Amino acid sequence: MPEDGGVVKTPADGADVRAKAERGGTTRRALLVAAAMFPFARSAHAWVPPGDFLLGKMAERRKNVKTLSVKGIRTFVGRSFEGGKQDVAETLASNVADSAYRLERKTPKGVFLEVSNGEKRVSVTEGKTSAVEADPRPLERLLFTGAPKDELGRAAQAFGIRLDVTGLGRAGGHIAWILGAKDGDTTSPQLWIDKDKSLPLELRDPRSKRVVRFDGWGEPGGAGVVPTRVTILRGEDIVELLKVEETRLNPKLAADLFKPESPVIATPTPAPSPEPGGTTAPGATATPKPAGKPTPKPTPKPTKPAPR
């Protein structure tokens, strides 16, 4: 026995103590990893609503939007543009209730117009009007302006999205519902919707490698109802970028704005003004002045005979 009366530990005893310490450390690490993974595990097994429900929530989010007037700058990116890009002023007037719209872009070659009454549309490029065609009401446009639930569903199916498939994932730092695919699916057309705000985040088409991102919801330029930034990518490359600068909610819009049969609105010609000196400009008709009352002539007074 040692002088202090303690128990002498054999090498086997020391190994056992070390083994227990290592097991304890492993257990603690496992608990920490499990705690960190718990939110993801819970999300993976969370209830995911059906597609019909997601479309209804998205339509409900902007049900008070009847008309829109949006102004912004669209940037086209590519080698075909001088300097690699081209900025174009863009104005959109939309009657959301019937999907009618009027798009106007001021390009270096002139004004580009696209006009639809919700059923038929036409475009005007460099003064040349295209043939009238059916308006397909594409999903990308409806996601920007908002639309009723049935319209969103029809457009989503036309895009190739399966309404019976939904999932949960993360896009751009947002937890999002996925319509048309499960998280990790890179082959199916799909729409990503902000889980908390019920607003579109991304529209993905793996077939064409095209992605449309909707950002800046709630920022002043979009009046809280449209995204202030829309980015279009082809693969990893940005090909278009729209920056919204001003949005008017429910303005009064003239019916003439949405007539495909007469897309260019005629500007009334002002009446010519008379030139100085009372002469009339060539080709104009002088406007006669209203006739005034004739000035009465003074009655001569009778003269008295001279005295004799």
Side-chain angles (χ1 to χ4, degrees), residues 125-141:
T125 306
E126 297 180 31
K128 298 179 181 180
T129 304
S130 70
V132 177
E133 61 181 4
D135 184 353
R137 301 189 185 186
L139 180 59
E140 182 179 330
R141 189 178 86 215

mmCIF file with all atom_site columns, all heavy atoms in Angstrom, residues 125-141:
data_model
loop_
_atom_site.group_PDB
_atom_site.id
_atom_site.type_symbol
_atom_site.label_atom_id
_atom_site.label_alt_id
_atom_site.label_comp_id
_atom_site.label_asym_id
_atom_site.label_entity_id
_atom_site.label_seq_id
_atom_site.pdbx_PDB_ins_code
_atom_site.Cartn_x
_atom_site.Cartn_y
_atom_site.Cartn_z
_atom_site.occupancy
_atom_site.B_iso_or_equiv
_atom_site.pdbx_formal_charge
_atom_site.auth_seq_id
_atom_site.auth_comp_id
_atom_site.auth_asym_id
_atom_site.auth_atom_id
_atom_site.pdbx_PDB_model_num
ATOM 1   N N   . THR A 1 125 ? -43.422 47.528 -83.454 1.00 0.00 ? 125 THR A N   1
ATOM 2   C CA  . THR A 1 125 ? -41.974 47.666 -83.404 1.00 0.00 ? 125 THR A CA  1
ATOM 3   C C   . THR A 1 125 ? -41.505 48.562 -84.541 1.00 0.00 ? 125 THR A C   1
ATOM 4   O O   . THR A 1 125 ? -41.780 48.267 -85.711 1.00 0.00 ? 125 THR A O   1
ATOM 5   C CB  . THR A 1 125 ? -41.287 46.293 -83.533 1.00 0.00 ? 125 THR A CB  1
ATOM 6   O OG1 . THR A 1 125 ? -41.811 45.405 -82.526 1.00 0.00 ? 125 THR A OG1 1
ATOM 7   C CG2 . THR A 1 125 ? -39.781 46.420 -83.329 1.00 0.00 ? 125 THR A CG2 1
ATOM 8   N N   . GLU A 1 126 ? -40.852 49.655 -84.188 1.00 0.00 ? 126 GLU A N   1
ATOM 9   C CA  . GLU A 1 126 ? -40.352 50.616 -85.169 1.00 0.00 ? 126 GLU A CA  1
ATOM 10  C C   . GLU A 1 126 ? -41.453 51.038 -86.135 1.00 0.00 ? 126 GLU A C   1
ATOM 11  O O   . GLU A 1 126 ? -41.246 51.134 -87.350 1.00 0.00 ? 126 GLU A O   1
ATOM 12  C CB  . GLU A 1 126 ? -39.167 50.026 -85.934 1.00 0.00 ? 126 GLU A CB  1
ATOM 13  C CG  . GLU A 1 126 ? -37.978 49.715 -85.044 1.00 0.00 ? 126 GLU A CG  1
ATOM 14  C CD  . GLU A 1 126 ? -36.803 49.137 -85.820 1.00 0.00 ? 126 GLU A CD  1
ATOM 15  O OE1 . GLU A 1 126 ? -36.640 49.491 -87.010 1.00 0.00 ? 126 GLU A OE1 1
ATOM 16  O OE2 . GLU A 1 126 ? -36.050 48.342 -85.244 1.00 0.00 ? 126 GLU A OE2 1
ATOM 17  N N   . GLY A 1 127 ? -42.643 51.270 -85.595 1.00 0.00 ? 127 GLY A N   1
ATOM 18  C CA  . GLY A 1 127 ? -43.758 51.752 -86.392 1.00 0.00 ? 127 GLY A CA  1
ATOM 19  C C   . GLY A 1 127 ? -44.517 50.681 -87.141 1.00 0.00 ? 127 GLY A C   1
ATOM 20  O O   . GLY A 1 127 ? -45.529 50.973 -87.791 1.00 0.00 ? 127 GLY A O   1
ATOM 21  N N   . LYS A 1 128 ? -44.082 49.415 -87.085 1.00 0.00 ? 128 LYS A N   1
ATOM 22  C CA  . LYS A 1 128 ? -44.748 48.328 -87.787 1.00 0.00 ? 128 LYS A CA  1
ATOM 23  C C   . LYS A 1 128 ? -45.570 47.496 -86.809 1.00 0.00 ? 128 LYS A C   1
ATOM 24  O O   . LYS A 1 128 ? -45.056 47.021 -85.803 1.00 0.00 ? 128 LYS A O   1
ATOM 25  C CB  . LYS A 1 128 ? -43.718 47.441 -88.491 1.00 0.00 ? 128 LYS A CB  1
ATOM 26  C CG  . LYS A 1 128 ? -42.912 48.172 -89.561 1.00 0.00 ? 128 LYS A CG  1
ATOM 27  C CD  . LYS A 1 128 ? -41.906 47.245 -90.208 1.00 0.00 ? 128 LYS A CD  1
ATOM 28  C CE  . LYS A 1 128 ? -41.086 47.976 -91.266 1.00 0.00 ? 128 LYS A CE  1
ATOM 29  N NZ  . LYS A 1 128 ? -40.091 47.079 -91.915 1.00 0.00 ? 128 LYS A NZ  1
ATOM 30  N N   . THR A 1 129 ? -46.843 47.325 -87.151 1.00 0.00 ? 129 THR A N   1
ATOM 31  C CA  . THR A 1 129 ? -47.761 46.600 -86.276 1.00 0.00 ? 129 THR A CA  1
ATOM 32  C C   . THR A 1 129 ? -47.829 45.133 -86.669 1.00 0.00 ? 129 THR A C   1
ATOM 33  O O   . THR A 1 129 ? -47.987 44.807 -87.849 1.00 0.00 ? 129 THR A O   1
ATOM 34  C CB  . THR A 1 129 ? -49.171 47.214 -86.347 1.00 0.00 ? 129 THR A CB  1
ATOM 35  O OG1 . THR A 1 129 ? -49.095 48.607 -86.023 1.00 0.00 ? 129 THR A OG1 1
ATOM 36  C CG2 . THR A 1 129 ? -50.122 46.535 -85.376 1.00 0.00 ? 129 THR A CG2 1
ATOM 37  N N   . SER A 1 130 ? -47.724 44.254 -85.689 1.00 0.00 ? 130 SER A N   1
ATOM 38  C CA  . SER A 1 130 ? -47.787 42.821 -85.962 1.00 0.00 ? 130 SER A CA  1
ATOM 39  C C   . SER A 1 130 ? -49.229 42.377 -86.154 1.00 0.00 ? 130 SER A C   1
ATOM 40  O O   . SER A 1 130 ? -50.180 43.139 -85.930 1.00 0.00 ? 130 SER A O   1
ATOM 41  C CB  . SER A 1 130 ? -47.166 42.048 -84.789 1.00 0.00 ? 130 SER A CB  1
ATOM 42  O OG  . SER A 1 130 ? -48.007 42.148 -83.635 1.00 0.00 ? 130 SER A OG  1
ATOM 43  N N   . ALA A 1 131 ? -49.399 41.140 -86.556 1.00 0.00 ? 131 ALA A N   1
ATOM 44  C CA  . ALA A 1 131 ? -50.740 40.572 -86.662 1.00 0.00 ? 131 ALA A CA  1
ATOM 45  C C   . ALA A 1 131 ? -51.306 40.345 -85.263 1.00 0.00 ? 131 ALA A C   1
ATOM 46  O O   . ALA A 1 131 ? -50.573 40.064 -84.312 1.00 0.00 ? 131 ALA A O   1
ATOM 47  C CB  . ALA A 1 131 ? -50.688 39.256 -87.437 1.00 0.00 ? 131 ALA A CB  1
ATOM 48  N N   . VAL A 1 132 ? -52.602 40.462 -85.133 1.00 0.00 ? 132 VAL A N   1
ATOM 49  C CA  . VAL A 1 132 ? -53.265 40.226 -83.850 1.00 0.00 ? 132 VAL A CA  1
ATOM 50  C C   . VAL A 1 132 ? -53.222 38.732 -83.538 1.00 0.00 ? 132 VAL A C   1
ATOM 51  O O   . VAL A 1 132 ? -53.488 37.898 -84.411 1.00 0.00 ? 132 VAL A O   1
ATOM 52  C CB  . VAL A 1 132 ? -54.717 40.728 -83.881 1.00 0.00 ? 132 VAL A CB  1
ATOM 53  C CG1 . VAL A 1 132 ? -55.427 40.419 -82.565 1.00 0.00 ? 132 VAL A CG1 1
ATOM 54  C CG2 . VAL A 1 132 ? -54.760 42.228 -84.155 1.00 0.00 ? 132 VAL A CG2 1
ATOM 55  N N   . GLU A 1 133 ? -52.887 38.388 -82.303 1.00 0.00 ? 133 GLU A N   1
ATOM 56  C CA  . GLU A 1 133 ? -52.811 36.986 -81.891 1.00 0.00 ? 133 GLU A CA  1
ATOM 57  C C   . GLU A 1 133 ? -53.467 36.818 -80.525 1.00 0.00 ? 133 GLU A C   1
ATOM 58  O O   . GLU A 1 133 ? -53.733 37.800 -79.823 1.00 0.00 ? 133 GLU A O   1
ATOM 59  C CB  . GLU A 1 133 ? -51.357 36.530 -81.826 1.00 0.00 ? 133 GLU A CB  1
ATOM 60  C CG  . GLU A 1 133 ? -50.522 37.299 -80.818 1.00 0.00 ? 133 GLU A CG  1
ATOM 61  C CD  . GLU A 1 133 ? -49.072 36.837 -80.781 1.00 0.00 ? 133 GLU A CD  1
ATOM 62  O OE1 . GLU A 1 133 ? -48.703 35.970 -81.599 1.00 0.00 ? 133 GLU A OE1 1
ATOM 63  O OE2 . GLU A 1 133 ? -48.327 37.340 -79.929 1.00 0.00 ? 133 GLU A OE2 1
ATOM 64  N N   . ALA A 1 134 ? -53.708 35.578 -80.147 1.00 0.00 ? 134 ALA A N   1
ATOM 65  C CA  . ALA A 1 134 ? -54.300 35.294 -78.833 1.00 0.00 ? 134 ALA A CA  1
ATOM 66  C C   . ALA A 1 134 ? -53.289 35.611 -77.737 1.00 0.00 ? 134 ALA A C   1
ATOM 67  O O   . ALA A 1 134 ? -52.096 35.367 -77.888 1.00 0.00 ? 134 ALA A O   1
ATOM 68  C CB  . ALA A 1 134 ? -54.721 33.840 -78.757 1.00 0.00 ? 134 ALA A CB  1
ATOM 69  N N   . ASP A 1 135 ? -53.775 36.178 -76.649 1.00 0.00 ? 135 ASP A N   1
ATOM 70  C CA  . ASP A 1 135 ? -52.914 36.476 -75.503 1.00 0.00 ? 135 ASP A CA  1
ATOM 71  C C   . ASP A 1 135 ? -52.838 35.227 -74.626 1.00 0.00 ? 135 ASP A C   1
ATOM 72  O O   . ASP A 1 135 ? -53.840 34.797 -74.061 1.00 0.00 ? 135 ASP A O   1
ATOM 73  C CB  . ASP A 1 135 ? -53.491 37.644 -74.708 1.00 0.00 ? 135 ASP A CB  1
ATOM 74  C CG  . ASP A 1 135 ? -52.579 38.075 -73.551 1.00 0.00 ? 135 ASP A CG  1
ATOM 75  O OD1 . ASP A 1 135 ? -51.580 37.380 -73.286 1.00 0.00 ? 135 ASP A OD1 1
ATOM 76  O OD2 . ASP A 1 135 ? -52.875 39.103 -72.914 1.00 0.00 ? 135 ASP A OD2 1
ATOM 77  N N   . PRO A 1 136 ? -51.654 34.628 -74.488 1.00 0.00 ? 136 PRO A N   1
ATOM 78  C CA  . PRO A 1 136 ? -51.548 33.391 -73.692 1.00 0.00 ? 136 PRO A CA  1
ATOM 79  C C   . PRO A 1 136 ? -51.583 33.624 -72.182 1.00 0.00 ? 136 PRO A C   1
ATOM 80  O O   . PRO A 1 136 ? -51.637 32.660 -71.426 1.00 0.00 ? 136 PRO A O   1
ATOM 81  C CB  . PRO A 1 136 ? -50.191 32.833 -74.114 1.00 0.00 ? 136 PRO A CB  1
ATOM 82  C CG  . PRO A 1 136 ? -49.393 34.034 -74.484 1.00 0.00 ? 136 PRO A CG  1
ATOM 83  C CD  . PRO A 1 136 ? -50.361 35.007 -75.089 1.00 0.00 ? 136 PRO A CD  1
ATOM 84  N N   . ARG A 1 137 ? -51.550 34.891 -71.750 1.00 0.00 ? 137 ARG A N   1
ATOM 85  C CA  . ARG A 1 137 ? -51.524 35.213 -70.313 1.00 0.00 ? 137 ARG A CA  1
ATOM 86  C C   . ARG A 1 137 ? -50.455 34.398 -69.582 1.00 0.00 ? 137 ARG A C   1
ATOM 87  O O   . ARG A 1 137 ? -50.771 33.560 -68.722 1.00 0.00 ? 137 ARG A O   1
ATOM 88  C CB  . ARG A 1 137 ? -52.893 34.977 -69.684 1.00 0.00 ? 137 ARG A CB  1
ATOM 89  C CG  . ARG A 1 137 ? -54.012 35.789 -70.301 1.00 0.00 ? 137 ARG A CG  1
ATOM 90  C CD  . ARG A 1 137 ? -55.288 35.670 -69.500 1.00 0.00 ? 137 ARG A CD  1
ATOM 91  N NE  . ARG A 1 137 ? -56.404 36.351 -70.122 1.00 0.00 ? 137 ARG A NE  1
ATOM 92  C CZ  . ARG A 1 137 ? -57.602 36.492 -69.564 1.00 0.00 ? 137 ARG A CZ  1
ATOM 93  N NH1 . ARG A 1 137 ? -57.819 35.974 -68.365 1.00 0.00 ? 137 ARG A NH1 1
ATOM 94  N NH2 . ARG A 1 137 ? -58.566 37.135 -70.181 1.00 0.00 ? 137 ARG A NH2 1
ATOM 95  N N   . PRO A 1 138 ? -49.193 34.608 -69.896 1.00 0.00 ? 138 PRO A N   1
ATOM 96  C CA  . PRO A 1 138 ? -48.123 33.781 -69.317 1.00 0.00 ? 138 PRO A CA  1
ATOM 97  C C   . PRO A 1 138 ? -47.995 33.952 -67.815 1.00 0.00 ? 138 PRO A C   1
ATOM 98  O O   . PRO A 1 138 ? -48.282 35.013 -67.259 1.00 0.00 ? 138 PRO A O   1
ATOM 99  C CB  . PRO A 1 138 ? -46.869 34.281 -70.041 1.00 0.00 ? 138 PRO A CB  1
ATOM 100 C CG  . PRO A 1 138 ? -47.204 35.675 -70.455 1.00 0.00 ? 138 PRO A CG  1
ATOM 101 C CD  . PRO A 1 138 ? -48.665 35.665 -70.769 1.00 0.00 ? 138 PRO A CD  1
ATOM 102 N N   . LEU A 1 139 ? -47.548 32.891 -67.168 1.00 0.00 ? 139 LEU A N   1
ATOM 103 C CA  . LEU A 1 139 ? -47.428 32.869 -65.709 1.00 0.00 ? 139 LEU A CA  1
ATOM 104 C C   . LEU A 1 139 ? -46.485 33.965 -65.204 1.00 0.00 ? 139 LEU A C   1
ATOM 105 O O   . LEU A 1 139 ? -46.751 34.587 -64.176 1.00 0.00 ? 139 LEU A O   1
ATOM 106 C CB  . LEU A 1 139 ? -46.934 31.493 -65.259 1.00 0.00 ? 139 LEU A CB  1
ATOM 107 C CG  . LEU A 1 139 ? -46.750 31.294 -63.752 1.00 0.00 ? 139 LEU A CG  1
ATOM 108 C CD1 . LEU A 1 139 ? -48.059 31.518 -63.005 1.00 0.00 ? 139 LEU A CD1 1
ATOM 109 C CD2 . LEU A 1 139 ? -46.198 29.896 -63.471 1.00 0.00 ? 139 LEU A CD2 1
ATOM 110 N N   . GLU A 1 140 ? -45.403 34.194 -65.904 1.00 0.00 ? 140 GLU A N   1
ATOM 111 C CA  . GLU A 1 140 ? -44.426 35.204 -65.477 1.00 0.00 ? 140 GLU A CA  1
ATOM 112 C C   . GLU A 1 140 ? -45.074 36.572 -65.306 1.00 0.00 ? 140 GLU A C   1
ATOM 113 O O   . GLU A 1 140 ? -44.808 37.295 -64.349 1.00 0.00 ? 140 GLU A O   1
ATOM 114 C CB  . GLU A 1 140 ? -43.296 35.268 -66.502 1.00 0.00 ? 140 GLU A CB  1
ATOM 115 C CG  . GLU A 1 140 ? -42.200 36.252 -66.152 1.00 0.00 ? 140 GLU A CG  1
ATOM 116 C CD  . GLU A 1 140 ? -41.087 36.265 -67.182 1.00 0.00 ? 140 GLU A CD  1
ATOM 117 O OE1 . GLU A 1 140 ? -40.842 35.202 -67.812 1.00 0.00 ? 140 GLU A OE1 1
ATOM 118 O OE2 . GLU A 1 140 ? -40.467 37.316 -67.375 1.00 0.00 ? 140 GLU A OE2 1
ATOM 119 N N   . ARG A 1 141 ? -45.951 36.955 -66.238 1.00 0.00 ? 141 ARG A N   1
ATOM 120 C CA  . ARG A 1 141 ? -46.626 38.254 -66.159 1.00 0.00 ? 141 ARG A CA  1
ATOM 121 C C   . ARG A 1 141 ? -47.625 38.292 -65.002 1.00 0.00 ? 141 ARG A C   1
ATOM 122 O O   . ARG A 1 141 ? -47.720 39.294 -64.271 1.00 0.00 ? 141 ARG A O   1
ATOM 123 C CB  . ARG A 1 141 ? -47.341 38.544 -67.486 1.00 0.00 ? 141 ARG A CB  1
ATOM 124 C CG  . ARG A 1 141 ? -47.890 39.962 -67.598 1.00 0.00 ? 141 ARG A CG  1
ATOM 125 C CD  . ARG A 1 141 ? -48.532 40.179 -68.950 1.00 0.00 ? 141 ARG A CD  1
ATOM 126 N NE  . ARG A 1 141 ? -49.921 39.766 -68.997 1.00 0.00 ? 141 ARG A NE  1
ATOM 127 C CZ  . ARG A 1 141 ? -50.509 39.232 -70.064 1.00 0.00 ? 141 ARG A CZ  1
ATOM 128 N NH1 . ARG A 1 141 ? -49.811 38.992 -71.153 1.00 0.00 ? 141 ARG A NH1 1
ATOM 129 N NH2 . ARG A 1 141 ? -51.789 38.905 -70.030 1.00 0.00 ? 141 ARG A NH2 1
#
